[in-house]
Amino acid sequence: HTRRHHHRFEAGLGGITAAYGSGPSAVTGAATVTVTSATLQSIAVAPANPSVNQNATVQLTATGTYSDSSQKDVTTQVTWKSLDGGVAAVSNAAGSQGLVSGVAQGQATVQASLSGVQGGTTVTVTADPNAPVSATVVAQPNVILDDGSDGTQIAVTVQPADASSGGQIPDGTQVDFVVSQGSANLSAASATTVNGVASVTATTTAAGGFTVTATVHGTEIGNSAQLYAVADFSDALVTT
């Protein structure tokens, strides 16, 4: 009888022995076999061609296909790279490998590389419907006394990128206020939005016109309001 021994070898050198018969007349033979590891052939990145809003994220995964037709999740082993980090950024940090963040509208190719093999996908970054795009500033009233106590409320309304599809300015968005012309005192240098509106109060002890400018923090989105201070309301000739 022929005895067969089945072994699974790791990469490297292995031995195979075969025997026929038993006892003194048994015939045996041996051979040395070199076992090689399966090599990485390709990398597929999923999902294919995803879209993500600005200031949002999408998780990419990488699957490697090997020379023995096996497949393996290599998301945490590959090196991730965005070819346009100004549009989409991708993480290589432990625990967040392959996490793409939308930075600005546009398209960016994101690649995954391992052992000289590369795969990739195109990420499209779309406008954040909640992102601020414009602001209006209203002072009510726009004429006050210059006694330092008569105040006016300056309210800025921030408009989102796509209000028609339900876009809303998140509550707590910071708006910065500054007296950009003339002399006045503001109740605060900044305020946060509630339902898209942030406001402060202005007073002054100097007669004449002054301007308050409001800007969404960290952006160039803003607007200004022109106000007037008088010693007596009978002196108020300009009211708009």
Side-chain angles (χ1 to χ4, degrees):
H1 299 284
T2 302
R3 295 191 297 272
R4 298 178 177 88
H5 302 276
H6 300 281
H7 300 280
R8 181 175 179 177
F9 297 100
E10 301 295 333
L13 294 178
I16 296 178
T17 302
Y20 179 79
S22 61
S25 61
V27 178
T28 62
T32 299
V33 177
T34 300
V35 180
T36 59
S37 298
T39 57
L40 181 63
Q41 300 295 298
S42 64
I43 295 174
V45 176
N49 304 322
S51 294
V52 62
N53 286 338
Q54 285 177 273
N55 306 314
T57 60
V58 60
Q59 179 65 55
L60 300 183
T61 61
T63 300
T65 298
Y66 290 79
S67 56
D68 61 359
S69 298
S70 64
Q71 291 186 321
K72 179 182 178 182
D73 184 349
V74 293
T75 302
T76 60
Q77 299 174 38
V78 297
T79 297
W80 293 95
K81 179 181 180 181
S82 172
L83 299 189
D84 192 343
V87 172
V90 63
S91 175
N92 280 295
S96 63
Q97 295 99 322
L99 186 66
V100 175
S101 301
V103 178
Q105 292 183 65
Q107 291 186 320
T109 298
V110 176
Q111 297 176 336
S113 302
L114 178 65
S115 302
V117 180
Q118 181 176 285
T121 191
T122 299
V123 176
T124 300
V125 180
T126 56
D128 180 357
N130 301 319
V133 292
S134 62
T136 56
V137 181
V138 175
Q140 186 63 40
N142 69 330
V143 178
I144 60 175
L145 295 175
D146 62 359
D147 60 3
S149 59
D150 188 31
T152 178
Q153 183 183 60
I154 301 170
V156 56
T157 300
V158 185
Q159 287 81 28
D162 194 356
S164 63
S165 65
Q168 296 180 334
I169 298 298
D171 285 352
T173 298
Q174 180 176 325
V175 178
D176 299 324
F177 294 82
V178 64
V179 179
S180 52
Q181 183 179 3
S183 176
N185 297 313
L186 300 178
S187 59
S190 65
T192 55
T193 57
V194 176
N195 296 325
V197 179
S199 62
V200 297
T201 300
T203 58
T204 185
T205 56
F210 63 96
T211 301
V212 175
T213 298
T215 307
V216 179
H217 185 74
T219 76
E220 296 182 357
I221 298 166
N223 218 322
S224 299
Q226 180 74 48
L227 300 99
Y228 302 89
V230 295
D232 187 279
F233 281 124
S234 63
D235 297 332
L237 301 179
V238 181
T239 59
T240 60

